[in-house]
Amino acid sequence: MSGSLFDKTGNATWAQCPACDYWFHVAPALLALETVDLICPDCAKPFAPADAKAMIGD
Amino acid sequence: MTDLRSYLNEIDNLVFRPDQPVSVVQEITALQHAMAAKSTNPAIFVRQPILPDGGISDMPVLTNLFASRELAAKALGIDDHRNSAKAMANLSSKAIDPVVVDAADAPVREIVEEGEAANLLSLPALRQHEGDAGHYVTCGHVVTYDPDTGIDNMGIQRLWVRGEKLLGCYMLETSHNMLNLQKFWARGEPCPVAIWVGHHPAVEMGAQAKLGYPESHWDVAGGALGEALRVVPSVTHGEKIMVPADAEIVIEGFLPPNRIEAEGPFAEFSGYQGPQIPNPVVEVTCITRRRDAIYHDCGSGLADHLVPDNMGMEGAIYALARQVAPSLINVHVPVSGRRFHAYLQFKDPKPGEARDAMMAAIAFRRLKAVYAFDDDIDIFDDREAMWAIATRVQWHRDLMKLDGLTLAPLDPSAPATGKTITKAAIDATLPAAPKPGQPKPVAPRNRVSDAALAAAEAVLDGIDTTGWPS
């Protein structure tokens, strides 16, 4: 049954760093602020959520 | 004077001190993982921490201090860790007021680095796990105060070392430190903060007692220690924020108004990585420390992290549930369930009493499930708990699900949207005996006599079992 209460849909949002392609786990509450830069845990590059190379689950 | 180093002397033979240098980048934490896999939990004292630049830190790293329940209980003066629920429930009643000492009599003031001299990068903070955003202060007790009353608050919060004078600071939305911060920010003022690291484990555990707001933790920490805690005014904030005179390190600063930045990811207590989230930052003004300071780290998501807080939870849950169930005799918050499960143990509960107690306990925010067991089950042994659940529970009768309860923070399985979850209570107690002294109306459990067991243990006495199949 599609879309039921019992489907396992996951809950994590991932961002990909535009500089080093590293995927990391971000909270929707952080993305919702829009004005706060994400910081890549791998290369330390700060970037706006809109500049992420890719997003999963947002 | 009772402090971290006096405690380390007491447990000297229970501290592992590797001879070789060990890196602060994952290697020290890996030691904790390797020891946990062997079910052994000594404190770990790394005399030569290797810093990210390859140099050796002058400051040793202590970790795994809380990984053993036995050691943690003894540090609090509790003879048996199995009695921690009642002891922790009574911790507040033993409160002892702190005493203020002069800075000249405060070991944590032996070195004072203010302004340009203050450098967080001089601390051997660990980058514990893959994917962590950076090096974190994991055992920092963050002290703020309520600007309305002047009453201080204290809680351990993860702190990301982002530069010489900048920390990312994880503040849970419901924490009392966050309430203080919001009050300062509402006035357009920076929130003063001091962070102390390293003290006798009784102080660190007492400081984590769950109290009301606003309510200072110093007297409960002193009660846990068994003597008045020596405190000293902080360099930056004076008497508005006191810090322990016998701590190892103190970091002081301000949380500037409305400065919210990304913080994390960080491997969390759940055993999963917590995401990057919006959080305030600390601008550091001063670092004070002992001349030969010990840097205390806490292995996130390991027993080192879970044991002290879980023991505090046991006290809080016991106090909640005991009010409605006099037959409740003990509580265990097992490391296997992180902070999401609690085992409640009863002695001959009256009909409905185990359920009453579970309803009271499940209100504790962090819990997702509570379990009720009889007194013949060792609630400190997960195998016994699972055996009772497997053999005493009928799911149509013994499972209660409650919808719309508060979300357990950092639950990695929580729904992406919504602020409440469904929690569960499982009654694994047996039906009551028809009359006192009569057997319960169920099959008896298999057992051998005490005499036969003693004889078997005598046969095995002195036998080297190394290499036997597990």
Side-chain angles (χ1 to χ4, degrees), chain A residues 11 22 24-27 29-30 33 36-39 41, chain B residues 127 131 162 260 262 265 273 275-278 412-414:
Chain A
N11 57 7
Y22 184 79
F24 63 100
H25 187 192
V26 295
L30 178 58
L33 294 176
V36 175
D37 278 354
L38 310 184
I39 302 173
Chain B
R127 187 167 189 150
R162 291 185 53 195
I260 294 290
Q273 189 185 78
Q276 191 162 88
I277 55 177
S413 70

Side-chain angles (χ1 to χ4, degrees), chain A residues 14 22 24-25, chain B residues 130-133 265-268 270-276 412:
Chain A
W14 292 80
Y22 184 79
F24 63 100
H25 187 192
Chain B
E130 286 182 345
D132 283 356
F266 184 71
E268 263 297 342
S270 63
Y272 294 85
Q273 189 185 78
Q276 191 162 88

